[in-house]
Amino acid sequence: MALLDVRDLKIAFYDTTPPTEVVKGISFSLEEGETLGIVGESGSGKTQTALSILHLLKENSAVSGGEILYEGSSVAHASSQDLQRIRGKEISMIFQEPMTSLNPVLTIEEQIAEGLLIHESCTPAERHEKVLAIMHEVELPDPEKLCNKYPHQLSGGQRQRIGIARSLAVHPKFVVCDEAVSALDVSIQSQIINLLQDLKEQQHLTYLFITHDLSVVKYISDRIGVMYLGNLVELAD
């Protein structure tokens, strides 16, 4: 059984009459330990597909058809209780722009520890040690000092590493990477991609890697799907 199975997925924007279909019935599966790259130009439906997996679509859009199965269970129509259990613990997400996805008024430690507060029972001291450990894993320098800083005090590369640390804090199986390196300089992109590869091997992760950069997706992916105008037009090794 595939870890993730997307069947005839359709997503529509409801702020127009009639609704605008932005994903038009795509299907793909993702095996455990695999990296599936999804490429396509802006507006092809890549990010909408990614957001639908974790119910993060904006209020004006929704899944209008099809099914998303994670380990055989529906997540497209999951209850709030099931989503609370799945988000972060089973499936997590690395967002495109860390400056907007990180909370500007919370310290770095508070943001990384949020998943631990929800999913794990541990003392504040244990939680602090786990935060330091994951910061070491993503190769952040002097984690103890960074814990009390805020996102605006860090570089773009450091913020993206914080985003990765936050997504991996409770050791999920499956990570959705939505343009995870597109906002970074080329030299920093290389560092982050290599870090993601190393973490995949160390933690046996599965990635859905969404990008418009063909060289990046060729390097990191086992298979590549091409989206165009809401359709998955090609899927191959």
Side-chain angles (χ1 to χ4, degrees):
M1 179 177 65
L3 185 70
L4 183 78
D5 193 5
V6 176
R7 300 177 181 176
D8 197 29
L9 177 67
K10 299 177 182 178
I11 301 171
F13 283 156
Y14 288 94
D15 51 2
T16 60
T17 304
T20 303
E21 203 168 66
V22 291
V23 175
K24 303 175 181 178
I26 68 171
S27 299
F28 62 87
S29 61
L30 189 56
E31 300 295 332
E32 190 167 348
E34 184 182 23
T35 297
L36 174 63
I38 300 291
V39 297
E41 62 186 19
S42 297
S44 61
K46 306 184 306 297
T47 293
Q48 299 302 315
T49 300
L51 294 175
S52 68
I53 295 170
L54 284 168
H55 285 228
L56 296 177
L57 292 168
K58 293 182 178 180
E59 291 181 359
N60 66 341
S61 58
V63 173
S64 57
E67 185 59 277
I68 304 171
L69 301 174
Y70 175 74
E71 293 189 323
S73 299
S74 173
V75 293
H77 307 290
S79 66
S80 297
Q81 185 176 2
D82 286 338
L83 281 174
Q84 178 81 340
R85 176 182 57 80
I86 292 169
R87 278 182 182 154
K89 183 64 177 174
E90 295 287 335
I91 308 173
S92 66
M93 189 162 185
I94 303 169
F95 294 91
Q96 177 174 358
E97 176 46 73
M99 195 59 194
T100 56
S101 62
L102 295 175
N103 192 322
V105 300
L106 295 181
T107 65
I108 298 307
E109 179 169 10
E110 289 172 327
Q111 304 204 46
I112 296 174
E114 189 172 18
L116 296 168
L117 282 166
I118 294 170
H119 295 291
E120 294 188 10
S121 298
C122 50
T123 66
E126 290 170 337
R127 194 157 50 244
H128 178 67
E129 289 304 314
K130 289 184 177 184
V131 169
L132 292 179
I134 191 65
M135 290 175 76
H136 276 295
E137 284 188 41
V138 300
E139 301 173 4
L140 279 161
D142 199 356
E144 194 73 60
K145 183 179 178 181
L146 287 179
C147 274
N148 295 317
K149 290 186 177 291
Y150 293 87
H152 72 273
Q153 296 174 297
L154 307 182
S155 68
Q158 287 176 320
R159 284 195 294 266
Q160 193 61 295
R161 289 174 190 268
I162 295 299
I164 295 169
R166 182 179 62 173
S167 72
L168 300 181
V170 289
H171 304 291
K173 292 181 182 178
F174 174 42
V175 182
V176 180
C177 306
D178 181 24
E179 301 276 12
V181 297
S182 65
L184 305 174
D185 293 338
V186 174
S187 60
I188 305 300
Q189 279 188 12
S190 176
Q191 295 174 22
I192 297 299
I193 291 167
N194 288 329
L195 173 63
L196 289 171
Q197 288 281 62
D198 292 342
L199 291 169
K200 177 187 175 182
E201 293 176 8
Q202 294 164 13
Q203 300 189 21
H204 309 292
L205 298 170
T206 304
Y207 289 147
L208 179 65
F209 197 92
I210 291 171
T211 183
H212 59 265
D213 190 323
L214 295 177
S215 60
V216 168
V217 80
K218 179 182 178 182
Y219 178 77
I220 200 169
S221 302
D222 299 305
R223 289 186 299 140
I224 298 174
V226 181
M227 289 193 69
Y228 180 69
L229 297 180
N231 296 294
L232 188 64
V233 296
E234 188 174 0
L235 183 63
D237 293 343

